[in-house]
Amino acid sequence: MALRVTFVAAARGSPLLAERFDDERPLDRAGWDEVLRVAGSLLPLAAAELRYCSPTPRSRATGDALGFAPLVQLALRDCDMGRWRGLTLSEAMAHEPGAVDAWLADPRSAPHGGEPLLGFIGRVGNWLDTRPGDDRIVAVAEPSVIRAALVYVLKAPPSTYWNLDVHPLSATAVTGGAGRWSLRFEGAPAQGTTPGVFREGNPL
């Protein structure tokens, strides 16, 4: 049996337009309500042999609320955005428009002083490639982390990252093993959302 990793996107801690780089805010009331609404449909994932989460407060809270009791994985942390940490995209653009343009255009660049997109994708991909044997794994992670994982799994150009839209509390499964991953769609996703949907121009 191939290794199976199911990513569950953390519930939101703020409205989409207020999303901040390296956001450390906890779940808000709306986020908790969303988790409670979908808990029944995601509960079977708690049977996974290994249960992980990103280190962000909302990823940990989402995993705990779903009954996963997940183990924090530092490799699943969000992209290090350096001095842009805590800013929205609009705020970063207002302060450093040229640097933001360079960051969006070149996945090897890190004008914010943090981690380049290519490094972020590679870090998440390395975490996938080093998962053990034939276990079933569930990982609650930030949507950005799941987008990075999908780019890695699909062996897609890094620019594909900007065209992936991962909805909060959606579930996306990948199967296989190191260097031979496949994206798997099955069942009805949480809240009627579609995991791994491509959408133009989504820089967050």
Side-chain angles (χ1 to χ4, degrees):
M1 180 185 296
L3 175 63
R4 175 195 178 96
V5 180
T6 302
F7 288 101
V8 175
R12 286 204 190 282
S14 61
L16 178 60
L17 292 179
E19 284 288 291
R20 298 181 178 276
F21 297 126
D22 275 349
D23 198 344
E24 288 291 322
R25 287 176 292 178
L27 292 184
D28 57 17
R29 183 70 258 171
W32 279 110
D33 290 344
E34 288 174 358
V35 173
L36 293 176
R37 279 197 298 271
V38 304
S41 63
L42 295 175
L43 184 60
L45 294 175
E49 288 91 345
L50 298 171
R51 300 176 299 281
Y52 300 122
C53 69
S54 295
T56 57
R58 63 183 179 182
S59 292
R60 297 197 307 267
T62 299
D64 287 341
L66 293 173
F68 295 169
L71 177 67
V72 170
Q73 296 284 280
L74 292 179
L76 294 181
R77 66 191 182 277
D78 212 340
C79 187
D80 179 359
M81 297 304 293
R83 64 179 175 276
W84 295 350
R85 183 175 185 176
L87 300 180
T88 66
L89 179 65
S90 296
E91 289 169 346
M93 181 68 77
H95 288 100
E96 301 181 66
V100 172
D101 287 342
W103 172 65
L104 293 173
D106 183 359
R108 297 163 298 182
S109 70
H112 42 61
E115 184 177 28
L117 178 62
L118 203 57
F120 176 42
I121 293 169
R123 165 165 57 82
V124 175
N126 183 67
W127 180 86
L128 265 177
D129 282 347
T130 54
R131 292 312 89 204
D134 298 328
D135 291 322
R136 286 163 106 48
I137 295 171
V138 62
V140 180
E142 295 299 310
S144 58
V145 173
I146 299 173
R147 287 159 62 193
L150 292 176
V151 172
Y152 184 82
V153 164
L154 295 172
K155 296 182 171 63
S159 59
T160 305
Y161 177 87
W162 307 118
N163 303 116
L164 288 167
D165 186 13
V166 176
H167 290 224
L169 295 169
S170 60
T172 305
V174 299
T175 59
R180 50 182 178 83
W181 294 99
S182 298
L183 180 60
R184 185 182 181 100
F185 293 95
E186 59 186 24
Q191 292 184 298
T193 59
T194 304
V197 173
F198 286 85
R199 187 174 73 183
E200 293 293 334
N202 180 17
L204 280 179

